[in-house]
Amino acid sequence: MKHEDEQWEKEIRKGPFAVSPFTEQHKSKVLQQVEWMKTAGSKGQEMREMSPSEPALKRSGSRSDTFSGDGGTVTYAVKDTAKVTSRHQRLRKRRIGILAAGLSALVIAGGMFMWSWDDGRLAKPLVAQINPASALLFADHLNVDILTNQMKKNVAITMRDDLGKQLRITKVQHLSVSGRIYIEAGQEKEEDYAQIWLDAKTGDLREVQMKAEMQPEQLEHRYLRQIPSLLESIRSAPSLKPVLVWRKVSMEQGETVPKTRTTLALKNDNSFGYIEWEQDKVVSLSGEITSDEVSQTALEDARKSVAALSGKTDLNLESIHRTKDIKLGGEIFFFRFAHNYFVQMTEGKGGLGYTVRDANNYEPVIDDPKEMEAYQEKLYNIDEAVLREKAGPIIKSIFNIDLDAYKLHRKADALGIVTFELESARDMFKVEYKEDGRITMVTRGEE
């Protein structure tokens, strides 16, 4: 089959072939032709191996041979090996001609899309690599004549290599004042959307803003193959599986290369996690870990903090998540307890952070505008003594710090939140509260 592969390559490199999008019908025809070629080639080889005239071609002169078997005796004669050889040469040329014709039909059936094979599996459209612009999809009634071949190629390659998929182009516009061509693909409110600005003269990229949502199987292999070792690096559950991918791409004015941010969501029956890449480098990852994989001192501190905030000492630990921020050089441990209480411990270049939160919803249902205004005014003007009385014991229990020397600050645009600050030591607590003085969050340092 080597000569068939050579013919295949010759036909491919005659491209580009397509003038229309690749369809499932095209694909079906291509696969039928490929299967026919493979079957025909296999049968041809089988017939050559079984042919009784092959041994005669290796000799000269006229002779006869007899073969005996269960079915009886068969006698055949070869009187002129030169004629036989000539006949086989003609048959071989005929087979090559049929092969070439079949390849031509294959190209037509494929509608410009030829496919490469990887260990017997369909891999990727070769023509989309040789001529990327052929993969572009356009909505009806667009003025695509203003797009040069170079512009089409740059748009197709940008979406293919950075966004990971081709989106249907829905708008093409010449921005004559700025000397740019604007291309929009997809719909702004949907998950898949792209905006690309090109130089009207050169066709080069000037700005890019794109986003897409993908299924895990659409994610490039260079990302997928990293998952097991990355989860192992934070001692997270190896059973976490990819469930969804989000990608954002941007290139601002003055930049020359689009920047990609890829986020992969992971999940199993009772846990979750994520991995985030910028370009091809991991910048952050998260996953659930067991209580054995965390400092027992930290775990005990988390239990005491939740008890101080909730007033309950019997809240069960439901999960622990570890987040490793490689870009910022920090780590976050997230302890989740029963009844929506959690503790978050942060350690990084920016310092230490500690948050304990009651995540239950205590907001009243108020439909009347005047009642809502009265509620907000009460929330903002809550008596400082009440806040100190409620928050003081919690902070004392968790951090062993007395709030007497800390000054309270309010912000009109942060209803339900105040800060206690000790300016001399640059120490500060952020406290979240409700109108009755209930404390729902205390944060110290980096949240």
Side-chain angles (χ1 to χ4, degrees):
M1 295 294 286
K2 181 179 180 182
H3 61 284
E4 295 182 8
D5 294 335
E6 292 174 352
Q7 291 293 332
W8 178 284
E9 288 294 327
K10 289 178 182 178
E11 293 297 327
I12 287 174
R13 300 195 182 282
K14 290 179 182 178
F17 309 105
V19 292
S20 62
F22 184 72
T23 66
E24 287 298 320
Q25 184 180 6
H26 292 151
K27 176 179 174 181
S28 177
K29 290 181 179 178
V30 170
L31 295 178
Q32 288 175 5
Q33 291 287 341
V34 170
E35 188 61 32
W36 175 84
M37 287 168 54
K38 292 169 65 178
T39 303
S42 175
K43 288 183 177 179
Q45 178 67 26
E46 196 175 304
M47 290 296 293
R48 286 194 295 273
E49 291 174 354
M50 294 176 61
S51 174
S53 54
E54 280 294 320
L57 294 177
K58 297 178 182 178
R59 301 173 176 86
S60 59
S62 175
R63 57 161 302 209
S64 64
D65 282 326
T66 301
F67 284 84
S68 298
D70 295 337
T73 301
V74 177
T75 302
Y76 68 93
V78 179
K79 296 183 178 180
D80 191 339
T81 55
K83 290 182 179 180
V84 173
T85 302
S86 175
R87 180 171 176 270
H88 275 267
Q89 288 176 344
R90 289 196 302 272
L91 288 173
R92 184 174 181 274
K93 289 180 180 179
R94 184 183 177 190
R95 284 198 299 269
I96 293 175
I98 293 173
L99 173 61
L103 284 168
S104 298
L106 185 59
V107 171
I108 295 171
M112 98 165 186
F113 273 85
M114 301 287 285
W115 293 75
S116 65
W117 293 83
D118 179 14
D119 296 330
R121 298 186 302 275
L122 204 58
K124 62 180 69 174
L126 291 176
V127 173
Q129 300 175 69
I130 298 170
N131 180 36
S134 65
L136 285 180
L137 304 173
F138 293 93
D140 295 334
H141 312 300
L142 288 183
N143 181 20
V144 298
D145 294 338
I146 64 176
L147 299 178
T148 65
N149 288 336
Q150 184 62 40
M151 291 176 183
K152 292 178 182 179
K153 178 180 179 182
N154 286 343
V155 171
I157 290 177
T158 299
M159 285 199 284
R160 182 193 70 188
D161 293 350
D162 299 308
L163 195 60
K165 60 167 69 176
Q166 300 288 356
L167 306 183
R168 184 178 297 276
I169 295 175
T170 53
K171 187 174 183 179
V172 178
Q173 184 179 3
H174 185 195
L175 307 176
S176 55
V177 175
S178 62
R180 296 185 175 193
I181 300 294
Y182 172 69
I183 294 177
E184 187 173 336
Q187 301 297 326
E188 185 174 4
K189 294 182 180 180
E190 296 178 356
E191 294 297 334
D192 294 348
Y193 183 62
Q195 295 174 294
I196 300 175
W197 291 263
L198 304 166
D199 189 292
K201 292 183 178 180
T202 65
D204 294 339
L205 295 179
R206 286 293 173 260
E207 289 186 60
V208 174
Q209 294 294 331
M210 302 189 294
K211 65 175 183 176
E213 182 179 287
M214 297 183 284
Q215 294 303 309
E217 58 268 21
Q218 294 176 282
L219 187 61
E220 296 86 346
H221 181 64
R222 66 179 183 272
Y223 295 111
L224 291 174
R225 67 188 180 191
Q226 300 177 46
I227 296 173
S229 59
L230 288 173
L231 291 176
E232 174 61 27
S233 71
I234 60 171
R235 299 291 188 267
S236 186
S239 59
L240 288 174
K241 302 298 180 185
V243 291
L244 200 59
V245 182
W246 296 277
R247 178 165 289 170
K248 290 188 177 181
V249 184
S250 66
M251 188 180 102
E252 304 296 338
Q253 187 172 352
E255 297 178 338
T256 57
V257 178
K259 296 178 181 178
T260 65
R261 193 174 189 93
T262 304
T263 303
L264 172 65
L266 304 161
K267 190 178 180 181
N268 60 19
D269 292 340
N270 51 21
S271 183
F272 67 93
Y274 74 85
I275 303 174
E276 199 168 85
W277 292 267
E278 284 185 0
Q279 304 300 72
D280 288 348
K281 296 183 65 175
V282 180
V283 294
S284 182
L285 62 150
S286 175
E288 185 172 331
I289 62 175
T290 66
S291 57
D292 295 334
E293 300 292 346
V294 69
S295 163
Q296 295 306 299
T297 301
L299 178 56
E300 188 60 28
D301 285 345
R303 292 186 186 278
K304 291 180 179 179
S305 298
V306 167
L309 181 67
S310 67
K312 304 172 184 178
T313 58
D314 57 347
L315 295 177
N316 293 326
L317 176 66
E318 294 186 340
S319 64
I320 307 173
H321 270 79
R322 179 184 180 186
T323 299
K324 187 175 182 180
D325 195 318
I326 299 171
K327 185 177 181 180
L328 299 179
E331 284 195 292
I332 299 173
F333 288 91
F334 185 93
F335 302 82
R336 188 175 194 89
F337 292 86
H339 305 300
N340 294 323
Y341 289 92
F342 71 78
V343 174
Q344 180 173 298
M345 302 177 185
T346 305
E347 181 178 354
K349 295 178 180 178
L352 301 177
Y354 198 100
T355 296
V356 54
R357 179 189 291 274
D358 175 356
N360 291 288
N361 182 19
Y362 300 104
E363 296 294 333
V365 178
I366 302 175
D367 296 327
D368 184 83
K370 291 185 177 180
E371 290 184 14
M372 176 58 70
E373 185 177 348
Y375 167 76
Q376 292 176 346
E377 185 175 353
K378 179 181 179 181
L379 190 64
Y380 180 75
N381 293 316
I382 190 170
D383 190 87
E384 179 176 340
V386 173
L387 291 178
R388 288 185 179 274
E389 179 187 347
K390 298 288 186 179
I394 297 173
I395 292 175
K396 178 70 173 179
S397 175
I398 299 173
F399 303 103
N400 196 27
I401 289 178
D402 197 314
L403 281 182
D404 291 346
Y406 286 71
K407 185 177 180 179
L408 183 141
H409 298 278
R410 306 175 195 256
K411 289 185 178 180
D413 59 349
L415 282 174
I417 297 177
V418 295
T419 58
F420 291 93
E421 185 175 1
L422 184 63
E423 296 180 356
S424 61
R426 295 184 179 180
D427 190 22
M428 183 180 69
F429 292 95
K430 182 162 65 173
V431 175
E432 186 178 282
Y433 62 93
K434 299 305 175 186
E435 81 281 1
D436 60 355
R438 179 198 297 266
I439 306 299
T440 56
M441 185 197 74
V442 175
T443 293
R444 187 186 191 189
E446 297 293 326
E447 185 178 2

